[in-house]
Amino acid sequence: MFAVHLMAFYFTKLKEDQIKKVDRFLYHMRLSDETLLDIMARFQAEMQKGLGKDTNPTASVKMLPTFVRAIPDGSENGEFLSLDLGGSKFRVLKVQVSEEGKRNVQMESQFYPTPNEIIRGNGTELFEYVADCLADFMKTKELMQKKLPLGLTFSFPCKQTKLEEGILLSWTKKFKARGVQGTDVVSSLTNAMKRHQDLDVDILALVNDTVGTMMTCAYDDPYCEVGVIIGTGTNACYMEDMSNIDLVEGDEGRMCVNTEWGAFGDDGALEDIRTEFDRELDLGSLNPGKQLFEKMISGLYLGELVRLILLKMAKAGLLFGGEKSSALHIKGKIETRHVAAMERYKEGLANTREILTDLGLEPSDADCIAVQHVCTIVSFRSANLCAAALAAILTRLRENKKLVRLRTTVGVDGTLYKIHPQYPKRLHKVVRKLVPNCDVRFLLSESGSTKGAAMVTAVASRLQAQRKQIDKVLALFRLTQEQLVGIRNKMRVEFEYGLKKDTHPLATVKMLPTYVCGMPDGTEKGKFLALDLGGTNFRVLLVKIRSGRRSVRMYNKIFAIPLEIMQGTGEEVTAGRGFTLQGASLPSTPSSARPVRLLLSLSLQLFDHIVQCIADFLDYMGLKGAQLPLGFTFSFPCRQASIDKGTLIEWTKGFKATDCEGEDVVDMLREAIKRRNEFDLDIVAVVNDTVGTMMTCGYEDSNCEVGLIAGTGSNMCYMEEMRNIELVEGDEGKMCINTEWGGFGDNGCLDDIHTQYDKEVDEGSLNPGKQRYEKMTSGMYLGEIVRQILIDLTKQGLLFRGQISERLRTRGIFETKFLSQIESDRLALLQVRRILQQLGLDSTCEDSIVVKEVCGAVSRRAAQLYGAGLAAIVEKRREDQGLEHMRITVGVDGTLYKLHPHFSRILRETVKELAPQCDVMFMLSEDGSGKGAALITAVAKRLQQAQREH
Ligand code: BG6
Ligand code: BG6
Ligand code: GLC
Ligand code: GLC
């Protein structure tokens, strides 16, 4: 009995002594709670640094955005291939997710070896090897004929800008293949797969193993929002709020961030806790100076740390009687599995003896106890450090959610965590101690990270299918060079039709003579009134032209034209509204006191309103009763017989007072002035806005012989040789032709590029079947085309969560200015989203990207179509003049041209491509067409007087 007690006493004493000895020796490796809290705080600061745009470049903890935005919701399904490369084992898998609506995952897998000559050889060979293994797997599983999406779990730090791309930042752990760092792993593997002609695989997602682990666990537990690997290497990922991720646009929802915490301390932040053993181990590693935190924690290094410690202790005579075996000198001789075995509860000491003996040592009981304790200290330190960093992440999650208490799940994987007998328990305990306000569940990922990778791939695959649908729609708006040349040539044909007497009556591009025959020469002078009707704004202007110095002063006022007057919805008006009705043929007014509804001519309403505005303006300018010559910019197609006569052929754009059509607009205006009987105005000229614009610019640059409007409507005028204008007598000189090219295509010649969306816009317009080209190019319609596309994409479930809102059903919500804002390059996605929200469209960031793309496709086509039309006219002018090369200036106006960020550039580029022999200069009309109209009036007035004097 005494002997037993003595033995027990002896053993306890022995154990105590050994433990004390080792504790003393490894004092520096034992971390107090205080130190752990300090490390936790340091890691919190590191995370912040990695997330900030400015601080990220110098941060050692890279906090890499993964483009994985949501945890699985159970709707994932399909069959996928998966590769799992970078952990202790390389696997190829086939994963079947959720068959027949059940939350169910089936996997078939095969391991392949990763010999050192492959993982540390040439990069190309590494990827070829991986592709070979994949091909082998597919052959074995008879999958060769299937086209399957693939998710790649690649457990190294990769910079991603999208899910299907990953630039390797640096190799870690055991890998060091040449020529891979700084390149995209996905494209390298895709290239390597090309060697197998029968392999048809699309890599849709690249995920880190932490991400795969988190997703695997989240499939079973939706609370899982952190993934941790404690295996060959160590790392963690977690769901971060988008608003905190500076490196990725957008602020809604969350995105998984791969912390790459293994690199914590690479900037010296952990020097105070690193020991001489850590430094020695680092020097002998494949990546000295790198992954310093990982080297204190993970499976690849723990055994080696133990070996270095034992060697040092033996050298100091503290172990094995000072004897060292040659095996103990060999790097890698002690592995993590040995450490785990030595730390087993019962058989630990026996295992230790066996392992040490295998190393050629002759350990005493005391040695075994000491060595076992060395293992404990090393692995405990590892768990402590992991716990500190994990506690930092959990705290961050709790703070992001502004919770007092956080309930969360951490998905974990990795051989060290799985095979070490005490590791999980120690880790859990320390984490709970460090973050007492978090209820943490640790969930072991039983099926590795590939199940999660398959979830990510499933989502990616659904998005890819959706993307294809979107691309299909956008492709309808993409015009090839060949198509553009065709359009240019067709436009040219239409010009000739319009100019020729025989074909003119049927021509859709009307080529209207304007009776404007020359450019201003600088001698024009006087005070003129101008009206500018038909663009975004209706203006009345006073233009003072001084001769000689080419100086013009203008005063103007914008007036609104009520919609009911513009669109003829107000034919029924109540009598006594203040309209002056003299001269109008009205039904006799019943002498009743009640308001009576009268049928009032639309033309009367419109022109009376215009005269009312003139009266207001004259009043405002202190010119009441003045007698001034007036130039009328009237931006609609008019058949002219002289400069002061213009019969409205038909309304375009937003006007529809039908009884004006076929009437002379000058007469209608004169009548209205007479009806008011307040002032007298001499209407000298009626000009189209294109003509006014050409004149405005021509006053500055005599080479300006084309006027272009890219605004509410679309049109162009140019100076044509009289001999080509069959509708007007005389062959001398030139005359400006208002092409009214908006009607191009009304004969069906553009049907091949006319999309279903164009048709819908046309059908919903005030003039169906008319102005086809205008409806594909001008500001009034581009937004409508966009809206039609968005409605269709929404119906297809590709936008706005498939919900067509009332707003989206509202005609005209996308004005040119919004289109222009949305497409601005300077605008962040968030701002696009805000614009959409202002428009009443509740969009996500993804929606905003699509909306922006749709706007881009529509406005690009418009600019190209304009370019094709313009190329047709400049080429015609060049050929007519028999020039090899021609320089010409185009005067331009209109909100689309002025406000849109890309329109003018694309227009210029297209003209250059389609009319390479013409040097086309674009001159923006800063002053609007009113100035030009006044100049035309001045010239006409001079001619009038000259005629009278004769
Ligand atoms: C596996 C995962 O279970 O664990 C891998 O499928 C991961 O993706 C690995 O890399 C990590 O552990 P270890 O110990 O193999 O590096
Ligand atoms: C203005 C001109 O600057 O531009 C108008 O003065 C013209 O005559 C208009 O109609 C065209 O642009 P928008 O975008 O207003 O239709
Ligand atoms: C290394 C890698 C990291 C990976 C981890 C676990 O730290 O850099 O990407 O997640 O090992 O495998
Ligand atoms: C419409 C009109 C045209 C005008 C153009 C630009 O196309 O028909 O006359 O020039 O819009 O405002």
Side-chain angles (χ1 to χ4, degrees):
M1 194 62 197
F2 178 71
V4 174
H5 277 295
L6 198 61
M7 271 302 284
F9 172 76
Y10 165 75
F11 195 76
T12 312
K13 178 83 175 65
L14 182 71
K15 202 169 169 186
E16 264 172 24
D17 289 349
Q18 292 307 313
I19 286 176
K20 270 192 200 140
K21 178 177 78 183
V22 173
D23 278 350
R24 259 197 312 275
F25 190 74
L26 293 181
Y27 170 77
H28 210 53
M29 277 197 164
R30 296 170 62 218
L31 306 172
S32 66
D33 287 357
E34 213 174 26
T35 311
L36 290 181
L37 284 169
D38 183 25
I39 294 169
M40 176 181 156
R42 287 187 222 176
F43 190 67
Q44 273 175 302
E46 287 295 326
M47 285 200 282
Q48 196 57 38
K49 193 171 170 192
L51 287 170
K53 202 173 204 151
D54 300 335
T55 43
N56 176 276
T58 56
S60 50
V61 176
K62 281 295 175 209
M63 305 295 282
L64 303 165
T66 64
F67 293 81
V68 168
R69 290 170 195 269
I71 57 172
D73 65 2
S75 68
E76 299 76 11
N77 63 53
E79 210 178 358
F80 307 95
L81 286 169
S82 206
L83 291 177
D84 190 355
L85 182 69
S88 52
K89 287 185 174 141
F90 167 42
R91 278 202 290 178
V92 184
L93 303 96
K94 189 191 93 170
V95 188
Q96 171 87 44
V97 184
S98 188
E99 209 180 7
E100 290 149 16
K102 281 178 267 157
R103 241 180 196 252
N104 174 356
V105 178
Q106 281 171 16
M107 303 203 280
E108 289 175 53
S109 75
Q110 185 152 343
F111 289 103
Y112 289 89
T114 42
N116 279 347
E117 57 273 23
I118 291 289
I119 62 174
R120 296 190 202 148
N122 179 308
T124 319
E125 281 165 22
L126 168 65
F127 289 109
E128 282 174 0
Y129 173 75
V130 173
D132 291 348
C133 295
L134 177 65
D136 175 75
F137 177 81
M138 291 181 75
K139 270 193 201 111
T140 325
K141 303 283 173 195
E142 295 179 352
L143 294 170
M144 267 322 203
Q145 63 293 354
K146 284 197 179 174
K147 184 178 168 68
L148 292 178
L150 183 142
L152 169 61
T153 306
F154 187 69
S155 313
F156 301 96
C158 287
K159 192 176 151 108
Q160 298 189 270
T161 56
K162 51 185 178 206
L163 196 54
E164 67 279 20
E165 177 202 79
I167 313 286
L168 178 68
L169 293 177
S170 52
W171 286 118
T172 54
K173 302 178 284 191
K174 293 184 198 165
F175 280 62
K176 207 173 184 178
R178 289 184 298 277
V180 187
Q181 288 188 29
T183 64
D184 175 22
V185 178
V186 174
S187 31
S188 302
L189 183 56
T190 306
N191 284 339
M193 288 191 306
K194 285 187 189 140
R195 286 191 326 142
H196 297 268
Q197 273 137 7
D198 42 357
L199 206 64
D200 191 7
V201 169
D202 213 357
I203 307 175
L204 292 191
L206 176 133
V207 293
N208 187 263
D209 52 355
T210 52
V211 183
T213 299
M214 180 188 78
M215 295 296 270
T216 299
C217 295
Y219 192 64
D220 300 320
D221 177 351
Y223 279 100
C224 182
E225 49 190 347
V226 182
V228 173
I229 297 281
I230 308 167
T232 315
T234 184
N235 189 14
C237 72
Y238 72 103
M239 296 301 289
E240 176 60 272
D241 290 359
M242 276 293 284
S243 53
N244 293 332
I245 308 176
D246 284 2
L247 299 170
V248 183
E249 274 200 276
D251 76 340
E252 71 192 2
R254 302 201 292 172
M255 183 182 277
C256 178
V257 167
N258 166 16
T259 64
E260 285 295 331
W261 75 17
F264 181 28
D266 288 7
D267 57 356
L270 295 176
E271 283 318 295
D272 55 336
I273 61 156
R274 288 180 72 222
T275 63
E276 58 179 299
F277 308 109
D278 296 308
R279 288 181 232 282
E280 199 177 338
L281 174 136
D282 177 47
L283 286 175
S285 69
L286 282 179
N287 51 351
K290 299 277 167 60
Q291 301 291 102
L292 299 184
F293 191 56
E294 177 162 270
K295 285 172 185 164
M296 292 193 265
I297 295 174
S298 76
L300 184 58
Y301 309 104
L302 279 200
E304 183 63 3
L305 276 177
V306 168
R307 186 187 70 86
L308 291 173
I309 295 166
L310 297 190
L311 197 58
K312 178 91 192 279
M313 286 182 80
K315 276 185 189 161
L318 295 168
L319 281 177
F320 320 126
E323 292 295 320
K324 300 147 284 173
S325 67
S326 53
L328 194 60
H329 279 98
I330 300 174
K331 200 170 120 188
K333 268 290 171 187
I334 301 181
E335 296 175 24
T336 298
R337 61 188 170 91
H338 299 132
V339 177
M342 290 192 272
E343 283 192 67
R344 291 218 160 275
Y345 280 124
K346 284 191 185 135
E347 61 275 36
L349 272 181
N351 289 344
T352 308
R353 180 175 299 278
E354 196 181 322
I355 290 164
L356 293 175
T357 311
D358 283 352
L359 284 171
L361 297 160
E362 288 169 11
S364 63
D365 285 348
D367 289 336
C368 290
I369 293 168
V371 169
Q372 192 183 41
H373 194 54
V374 168
C375 291
T376 306
I377 289 183
V378 171
S379 60
F380 215 138
R381 183 183 69 153
S382 159
N384 275 338
L385 289 171
C386 244
L390 182 55
I393 291 178
L394 295 172
T395 304
R396 194 172 169 92
L397 274 174
R398 189 180 56 77
E399 286 172 358
N400 280 349
K401 294 186 185 186
K402 300 189 176 61
L403 292 174
V404 182
R405 259 199 110 66
L406 173 77
R407 171 184 172 188
T408 194
T409 299
V410 175
V412 198
D413 202 350
T415 30
L416 176 55
Y417 185 85
K418 282 200 284 203
I419 66 163
H420 192 287
Q422 352 262 358
Y423 203 98
K425 238 193 277 161
R426 288 179 190 159
L427 177 78
H428 304 172
K429 196 170 158 193
V430 182
V431 169
R432 289 184 179 124
K433 191 160 66 180
L434 292 175
V435 281
N437 42 9
C438 294
D439 299 318
V440 195
R441 175 179 181 222
F442 289 87
L443 186 60
L444 180 68
S445 158
E446 300 287 355
S447 43
S449 58
T450 34
K451 184 163 121 185
M455 300 302 150
V456 177
T457 313
V459 174
S461 150
R462 192 172 62 211
L463 290 178
Q464 192 195 43
Q466 292 181 346
R467 186 66 238 176
K468 276 194 187 138
Q469 276 172 275
I470 294 170
D471 285 345
K472 210 166 128 197
V473 170
L474 296 184
L476 300 171
F477 290 83
R478 217 159 287 136
L479 300 174
T480 62
Q481 180 75 0
E482 210 181 343
Q483 279 174 310
L484 286 170
V485 168
I487 293 162
R488 179 197 66 192
N489 296 346
K490 280 184 202 164
M491 181 69 103
R492 179 74 186 270
V493 171
E494 296 297 322
F495 288 155
E496 305 302 339
Y497 271 16
L499 287 172
K500 297 252 172 330
K501 217 173 201 150
D502 296 347
T503 43
H504 176 84
L506 289 177
T508 49
V509 177
K510 295 185 196 72
M511 306 298 274
L512 302 166
T514 64
Y515 292 83
V516 169
C517 296
M519 286 293 155
D521 63 5
T523 63
E524 299 77 11
K525 61 174 187 201
K527 236 199 243 177
F528 304 89
L529 210 57
L531 298 181
D532 190 351
L533 177 76
T536 315
N537 296 309
F538 167 49
R539 288 167 201 271
V540 185
L541 307 93
L542 180 71
V543 186
K544 290 184 188 169
I545 308 172
R546 282 200 258 168
S547 66
R549 280 186 291 159
R550 286 192 180 244
S551 90
V552 175
R553 291 179 79 176
M554 302 204 294
Y555 308 86
N556 77 79
K557 205 165 180 235
I558 294 176
F559 293 90
I561 301 207
L563 198 69
E564 62 268 24
I565 292 185
M566 248 164 79
Q567 300 197 345
T569 50
E571 62 245 66
E572 282 197 301
V573 294
T574 308
R577 253 214 198 162
F579 283 104
T580 318
L581 300 174
Q582 297 106 308
S585 55
L586 295 170
S588 60
T589 316
S591 58
S592 149
R594 279 181 294 121
V596 177
R597 294 179 99 80
L598 292 179
L599 199 69
L600 187 63
S601 149
L602 294 168
S603 59
L604 289 187
Q605 282 190 51
L606 175 62
F607 283 92
D608 284 342
H609 180 76
I610 292 173
V611 172
Q612 172 74 51
C613 298
I614 300 176
D616 286 353
F617 179 74
L618 290 175
D619 230 14
Y620 167 76
M621 294 296 298
L623 288 170
K624 210 170 176 184
Q627 244 196 324
L628 290 170
L630 181 142
F632 185 8
T633 304
F634 183 70
S635 310
F636 301 95
C638 285
R639 189 170 301 287
Q640 295 191 258
S642 65
I643 187 104
D644 61 349
K645 282 194 180 0
T647 305
L648 173 64
I649 300 176
E650 60 195 352
W651 288 115
T652 54
K653 303 181 282 193
F655 280 70
K656 205 192 175 179
T658 36
D659 63 346
C660 296
E661 290 176 357
E663 302 291 329
D664 185 334
V665 291
V666 176
D667 284 349
M668 287 191 278
L669 184 59
R670 261 192 208 125
E671 290 295 317
I673 293 174
K674 235 192 258 163
R675 280 198 295 279
R676 185 163 185 110
N677 202 16
E678 238 180 64
F679 44 79
D680 194 16
L681 296 171
D682 178 13
I683 310 168
V684 181
V686 56
V687 292
N688 188 262
D689 53 354
T690 52
V691 185
T693 299
M694 183 180 79
M695 282 296 163
T696 302
C697 296
Y699 196 54
E700 319 287 334
D701 175 353
S702 59
N703 209 22
C704 178
E705 292 209 326
V706 178
L708 187 74
I709 297 284
T712 315
S714 161
N715 194 14
M716 185 271 291
C717 75
Y718 71 104
M719 294 306 289
E720 175 60 281
E721 307 294 332
M722 277 295 283
R723 62 182 141 84
N724 290 338
I725 310 173
E726 292 190 359
L727 297 177
V728 183
E729 301 258 316
D731 279 350
E732 288 302 305
K734 295 191 253 189
M735 183 183 277
C736 176
I737 292 289
N738 166 17
T739 63
E740 285 295 330
W741 77 8
F744 180 38
D746 289 1
N747 57 3
C749 73
L750 293 179
D751 282 2
D752 54 335
I753 60 161
H754 211 238
T755 67
Q756 72 182 84
Y757 311 104
D758 294 305
K759 284 193 191 95
E760 273 151 22
V761 170
D762 181 44
E763 280 159 18
S765 70
L766 289 175
N767 51 351
K770 302 277 173 62
Q771 302 289 98
R772 293 261 176 100
Y773 184 67
E774 176 161 88
K775 285 173 187 166
M776 295 166 105
T777 52
S778 78
M780 181 163 166
Y781 306 99
L782 294 193
E784 275 299 278
I785 304 174
V786 167
R787 193 175 66 87
Q788 291 299 344
I789 301 174
L790 298 188
I791 289 179
D792 186 40
L793 293 180
T794 311
K795 275 188 195 154
Q796 293 186 49
L798 303 169
L799 264 185
F800 305 132
R801 303 170 186 94
Q803 300 292 316
I804 302 182
S805 61
E806 255 331 290
R807 279 303 279 170
L808 197 56
R809 274 186 234 278
T810 314
R811 205 174 282 165
I813 53 165
F814 278 103
E815 293 169 38
T816 315
K817 65 174 179 209
F818 293 128
L819 218 68
S820 304
Q821 283 172 10
I822 288 171
E823 283 191 62
S824 164
D825 286 336
R826 277 166 305 162
L827 221 60
L829 219 51
L830 268 182
Q831 289 164 293
V832 175
R833 190 167 147 237
R834 222 162 283 144
I835 296 171
L836 292 175
Q837 279 169 344
Q838 269 167 24
L839 289 173
L841 300 174
D842 184 20
S843 69
T844 61
C845 269
E846 274 79 57
D847 288 341
S848 310
I849 297 174
V850 176
V851 173
K852 191 168 174 168
E853 278 182 276
V854 170
C855 291
V858 171
S859 63
R860 182 178 182 81
R861 184 187 68 161
Q864 289 180 324
L865 287 173
Y866 256 93
L870 200 57
I873 205 65
V874 293
E875 271 296 280
K876 173 178 158 54
R877 288 299 295 143
R878 186 185 64 77
E879 284 173 25
D880 282 355
Q881 294 173 76
L883 295 171
E884 185 60 34
H885 197 269
M886 182 187 72
R887 297 185 70 164
I888 192 164
T889 300
V890 176
V892 203
D893 204 346
T895 37
L896 181 57
Y897 187 88
K898 284 200 238 184
L899 300 183
H900 195 280
H902 310 301
F903 184 90
S904 59
R905 177 182 46 84
I906 300 170
L907 165 62
R908 264 197 321 272
E909 286 167 3
T910 314
V911 174
K912 201 164 194 170
E913 269 166 33
L914 299 182
Q917 285 159 277
C918 298
D919 205 349
V920 183
M921 236 267 297
F922 289 84
M923 181 172 176
L924 183 67
S925 156
E926 301 286 356
D927 299 331
S929 60
K931 177 165 149 186
L935 288 165
I936 293 169
T937 310
V939 176
K941 189 83 191 153
R942 196 172 60 212
L943 291 176
Q944 244 180 24
Q945 261 159 12
Q947 260 171 4
R948 261 188 234 139
E949 280 159 20
H950 257 88

